[in-house]
Amino acid sequence: MFKDTKAFSGFSVNNLQKAKEFYGQTLGLNIADAPMGLLQLNIAGGAVILIYPKPNHTPATFTILNFPVENIEAAVDELTKRGVHFEQYDDADIKTDEKGIHRGDVGPKIAWFKDPAGNILSVLES
């Protein structure tokens, strides 16, 4: 039924202007105004992600966007220079170093950070 449908994803924020600045300027993504007062992230490869305002927004408690990078050290350093704060975890399953990078035995090197609305994003070494 949906085999040929071009699905898209979306998530909410509590302030569209802050989201536009963060995703467009801080992260350097291609962002455009979309119909009905929405924002549209145009991701490499043709993916489209909508960002919509929600007055009673609750931040996602899971990672909503993952950005694969070739060099996580360089990505974390650059994003830190741009004012991004990386999350620190010291749990039984997830531990991060002083830069916020998880270097576990299983899975990729990954670092989590939040957008201005509190949604969780990550960079991970591919």
Side-chain angles (χ1 to χ4, degrees), residues 74-89:
V76 167
D77 289 347
E78 179 60 29
L79 287 170
T80 299
K81 286 180 193 173
R82 294 179 183 202
V84 172
H85 169 77
F86 284 87
E87 298 297 302
Q88 295 290 320
Y89 297 107

Side-chain angles (χ1 to χ4, degrees), residues 6-50:
K6 293 186 178 179
F8 63 91
S9 183
F11 59 89
S12 70
V13 296
N14 55 0
N15 185 311
L16 274 182
Q17 186 57 41
K18 284 184 181 179
K20 188 174 189 176
E21 291 168 8
F22 179 78
Y23 287 97
Q25 295 172 12
T26 304
L27 300 186
L29 296 171
N30 180 339
I31 191 162
D33 293 319
M36 299 185 301
L38 307 177
L39 294 177
Q40 179 175 312
L41 290 179
N42 300 304
I43 305 296
V48 172
I49 300 169
L50 288 180

